C-alpha cells in the first residue's frame, strides 16, 4: 500500500467526516440532522465518511468495508460485543453523556469502560489512517470520539483536523469529577479547531483549560500542552426551507388531518424526543398536571401528545425512565380523564420525518423542555413546520442551546412546573398577530443559520486556522 505521505495531493482539500455511526445516503433522513448536513457537504465536494457500521461482529475485520455512493466513499467498521459494551454503552453513554449533561448522579466511572473507549478510538483511527491523503480536511463529530485526533497524530497525521461537540460542554467542577479528565482535555489539543454549540460551551471549555492547565488565551485561540487550537461556537441549524416544504407534503397533510380529526377546537400540545432523562419529560408531564390543576378551562380541551421512542434501551437508566413515564402518565390520566378525553397521549415509537412534520403543524403548541441540551433540533423543526398564516407557539426551555437563538419563543425554566403551566396558558390564548410576529422572527433566524451555513462556517474556519498553523510568521503558529 502506498504510504499516505507519498500520495499525490488532490487539487482542493477532500472532506473526511468521522462520526460514531455512518448512515447510508439512502436512509439519510432517518439518520437525523447530522447525517443530512454531512451528506450534503460530501455530495458537493466528494469525500469520505468513516465510522462504525452499526453492526456487532464476533470477529470484526481490522480493515474498513468500503462502498461508493456517487462522489461519496463510505468506510465502515464493525465492533465486537465487548467493544460496543465498553466504548458505546459504557464510557460514551453511561459516563460522558450524563456527566456532560450535569447528571453526576447517573454517571458511571468504570476504568474498563474507559480503556475500551480509548482502544476503540485507537483502532478506528488506525483503520482510517491508510485511507487518508496528505491534504485532507478531517472533521470528527461528537463525544464518542474525543481522543480521535490524538490517536491519528500518534500515527503522524499532519492534516487539518476539526472537532464538533454536539452536546454541551460541562462546568469545570463536573468535568474534573471524571478520573480521566486530564488525558481527555490533553487529547482535545490535538485538534486545530474545536466547535461548540453555544458561546457558553466555549466559555466553559476555556475556563477549564485556564483553571486546570494554565492555558493562555488570545482571541479565539487557546494554548496548552505545547499546542494551540481555536475554540468557537457554531450553533447547528436544520434545513429549514426543506422542512417547511415537507410539512405540506401529502404524507404530512394526511397526518395533520389525523391529529385534527375528532379534536375540534381542542389544543394539541406536542412533545417529540428520544426517550432520554435529559429531555425533562417527567417534568413536562408534571407541568401539564399543573396546567390542569390551575386552569379548569383546560379540562376536556387540552391534550399533550408525547412522542418518545425508546433509545439506548440496553442502558439501565433508560429502562428506568421509561417505567417512570408510564407511571406518571397513568396517574395523571387516571385523575383527569373523561369518557371521551385523556390529557396525555404517550406514543413510544419513532415516526417518519413527514409524519412528524404533519403532527408539528397540527399542534397549537410545541413544548420543548429539556433539562439540558446541546442544541435541540425539535424546537427548530416545530417552527419550520408551522403555517406562517396561522402558526403555533413554541414553549422552549432556557437550558436548550437553541434558546440562545430563539428568544421569540416563550422561554421557560423546565423545573418550574407553575411557570411552564402559565406559559402554556399564555400560548393557548396568544392573539394571531403576536403568533405571526414571533413565528416570522424565529423563521428568519432558522433560514439565516441553517444546516449549510453551519457546515460552511465550520469548514472555512478549519481551513483558516490550519493555514495559520502552517505559516511560521503567524502569531498563531503552533507553539511546539
Ligand atoms: P437528540 O440529538 O438529543 O436526540 P435533537 O432534538 O437535537 O435531540 O434531535 C433529535 C432528532 O431526532 C430530530 O431531528 C427529531 O426529528 C428526531 N426525532 C426525535 N424524536 C423522534 C421520533 N419520535 N420519531 C422520529 N424522529 C424523532
Amino acid at each position: 500500500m502506498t504510504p499516505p505521505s507519498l500520495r499525490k495531493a488532490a487539487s482542493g482539500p477532500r472532506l473526511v467526516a468521522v462520526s460514531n455511526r455512518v448512515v447510508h445516503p439512502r436512509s439519510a433522513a432517518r439518520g437525523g440532522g447530522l447525517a443530512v448536513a454531512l451528506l450534503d457537504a460530501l455530495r458537493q465536494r466528494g469525500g469520505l465518511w468513516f465510522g462504525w457500521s452499526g453492526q456487532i461482529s464476533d470477529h470484526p475485520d481490522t480493515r474498513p468495508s468500503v462502498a461508493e455512493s456517487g462522489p461519496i466513499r463510505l468506510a465502515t467498521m464493525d465492533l465486537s460485543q465487548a467493544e460496543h459494551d465498553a466504548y458505546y454503552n459504557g464510557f460514551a453513554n453511561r459516563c460522558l453523556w450524563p456527566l456532560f449533561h450535569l447528571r453526576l448522579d447517573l454517571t458511571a466511572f468504570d476504568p474498563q469502560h474507559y480503556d475500551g473507549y480509548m482502544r476503540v478510538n485507537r483502532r478506528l483511527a488506525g483503520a482510517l489512517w491508510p485511507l487518508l491523503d496528505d491534504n485532507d480536511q478531517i472533521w470528527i463529530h461528537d463525544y464518542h470520539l474525543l481522543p480521535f485526533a490524538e490517536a491519528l497524530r500518534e500515527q503522524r497525521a499532519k492534516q487539518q483536523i476539526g472537532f464538533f461537540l454536539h452536546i454541551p460542554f460541562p462546568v469545570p467542577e463536573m468535568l474534573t469529577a471524571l478520573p480521566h479528565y486530564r488525558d481527555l482535555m490533553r487529547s482535545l489539543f490535538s485538534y486545530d479547531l474545536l466547535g461548540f454549540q453555544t458561546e457558553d460551551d466555549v466559555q466553559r471549555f476555556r475556563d477549564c483549560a485556564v483553571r486546570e492547565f494554565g492555558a493562555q488565551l488570545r482571541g479565539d485561540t487557546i494554548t496548552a500542552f505545547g499546542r494551540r487550537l481555536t475554540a468557537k461556537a457554531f450553533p447547528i441549524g436544520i434545513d429549514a426551507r426543506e422542512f417547511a416544504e415537507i410539512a405540506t407534503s401529502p404524507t404530512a397533510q394526511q397526518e395533520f388531518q389525523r391529529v385534527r380529526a375528532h379534536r375540534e377546537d381542542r389544543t394539541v400540545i406536542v412533545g417529540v424526543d428520544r426517550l432520554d432523562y435529559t429531555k425533562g419529560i417527567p417534568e413536562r408531564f408534571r407541568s401539564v398536571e399543573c396546567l390542569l390543576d390551575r386552569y379548569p378551562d383546560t379540562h376536556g380541551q387540552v391534550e399533550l401528545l408525547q412522542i418518545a421512542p425508546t433509545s439506548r434501551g440496553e442502558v439501565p437508566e433508560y429502562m428506568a425512565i421509561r417505567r417512570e413515564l408510564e407511571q406518571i402518565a397513568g396517574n395523571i390520566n387516571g385523575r383527569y380523564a373523561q369518557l371521551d378525553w385523556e390529557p396525555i397521549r404517550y406514543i413510544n415509537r419513532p415516526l417518519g420525518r413527514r409524519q412528524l412534520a404533519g403532527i408539528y403543524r397540527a399542534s397549537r403548541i410545541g413544548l420543548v423542555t429539556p433539562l439540558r441540551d446541546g442544541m435541540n433540533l425539535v424546537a427548530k423543526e416545530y417552527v419550520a413546520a408551522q403555517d406562517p398564516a396561522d402558526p403555533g407557539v413554541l414553549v422552549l426551555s432556557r437550558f436548550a442551546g437553541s434558546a440562545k437563538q430563539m428568544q421569540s419563543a416563550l422561554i421557560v425554566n423546565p423545573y418550574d412546573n407553575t411557570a411552564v403551566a402559565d406559559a402554556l396558558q399564555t400560548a393557548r390564548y396568544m392573539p394571531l398577530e403576536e403568533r405571526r410576529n414571533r413565528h416570522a422572527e424565529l423563521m428568519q433566524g432558522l433560514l439565516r443559520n441553517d444546516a449549510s451555513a453551519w457546515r460552511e462556517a465550520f469548514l472555512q474556519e478549519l481551513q483558516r486556522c490550519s493555514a495559520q498553523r502552517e505559516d511560521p510568521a503567524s502569531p498563531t503558529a503552533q507553539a511546539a
Side-chain angles (χ1 to χ4, degrees), residues 78-124:
D78 294 349
L79 294 180
S80 71
Q81 188 64 54
E83 285 177 329
H84 184 255
D85 289 348
Y87 150 81
Y88 183 74
N89 279 337
F91 195 70
N93 285 333
R94 294 198 67 199
C95 186
L96 292 178
W97 176 271
L99 187 80
F100 280 38
H101 287 88
L102 305 189
R103 291 301 301 267
L104 198 50
D105 56 322
L106 299 180
T107 303
F109 301 109
D110 183 330
Q112 286 179 350
H113 289 172
Y114 176 70
D115 290 345
Y117 175 85
M118 297 303 284
R119 262 200 310 277
V120 169
N121 267 273
R122 281 198 201 99
R123 188 165 86 77
L124 295 182

Side-chain angles (χ1 to χ4, degrees), residues 29-33 97 101 166-167 197 236 238 243 271-276 278-279 307-309 312 347-353 356 360 368 373-379 381:
R30 266 181 282 139
W97 176 271
H101 287 88
H166 291 255
I167 67 174
Q197 295 277 25
I236 193 168
I238 61 166
F243 207 84
V272 174
D273 313 79
R274 264 184 322 97
L275 189 44
D276 194 295
T278 61
K279 300 292 180 182
I307 300 161
R312 305 175 191 169
I347 298 173
N348 180 227
R349 63 192 157 74
L351 299 177
R353 281 172 79 68
L356 272 187
Y360 289 140
V368 182
D373 211 330
M375 177 54 56
N376 196 293
L377 298 180
V378 167
E381 291 170 358

Side-chain angles (χ1 to χ4, degrees), residues 69-230:
S69 172
I72 307 173
R73 172 177 279 201
L74 304 163
T76 56
M77 302 281 289
D78 294 349
L79 294 180
S80 71
Q81 188 64 54
E83 285 177 329
H84 184 255
D85 289 348
Y87 150 81
Y88 183 74
N89 279 337
F91 195 70
N93 285 333
R94 294 198 67 199
C95 186
L96 292 178
W97 176 271
L99 187 80
F100 280 38
H101 287 88
L102 305 189
R103 291 301 301 267
L104 198 50
D105 56 322
L106 299 180
T107 303
F109 301 109
D110 183 330
Q112 286 179 350
H113 289 172
Y114 176 70
D115 290 345
Y117 175 85
M118 297 303 284
R119 262 200 310 277
V120 169
N121 267 273
R122 281 198 201 99
R123 188 165 86 77
L124 295 182
L128 173 61
W129 170 240
L131 306 182
L132 294 177
D133 284 324
D134 287 351
N135 66 342
D136 282 340
Q137 193 175 36
I138 306 172
W139 191 6
I140 317 290
H141 289 265
D142 227 356
Y143 63 104
H144 314 87
L145 301 172
L146 295 171
F148 200 89
E150 186 174 66
L152 278 178
R153 301 277 185 226
E154 281 166 10
Q155 309 264 358
R156 300 184 315 282
K158 298 277 192 296
Q159 289 86 343
Q160 41 180 306
I161 313 181
F163 177 83
F164 187 78
L165 184 68
H166 291 255
I167 67 174
F169 194 83
V171 290
E173 290 79 357
M174 295 292 282
L175 187 76
T176 52
L178 183 66
H180 324 283
Y181 79 94
R182 284 174 191 281
D183 293 340
L184 286 176
M185 279 294 283
R186 192 200 57 239
S187 73
L188 289 176
F189 280 80
S190 288
Y191 291 100
D192 299 299
L193 173 64
L194 291 183
F196 296 90
Q197 295 277 25
T198 68
E199 294 294 345
D200 288 350
D201 294 301
V202 177
Q203 194 51 49
R204 286 188 287 268
F205 175 76
R206 292 159 66 98
D207 284 352
C208 192
V210 170
R211 276 168 54 170
E212 295 297 320
F213 306 104
Q216 304 288 314
L217 306 178
R218 183 170 173 169
D220 294 326
T221 64
I222 308 181
T223 306
F225 306 103
R227 286 194 53 92
R228 185 168 288 151
L229 57 72
T230 300

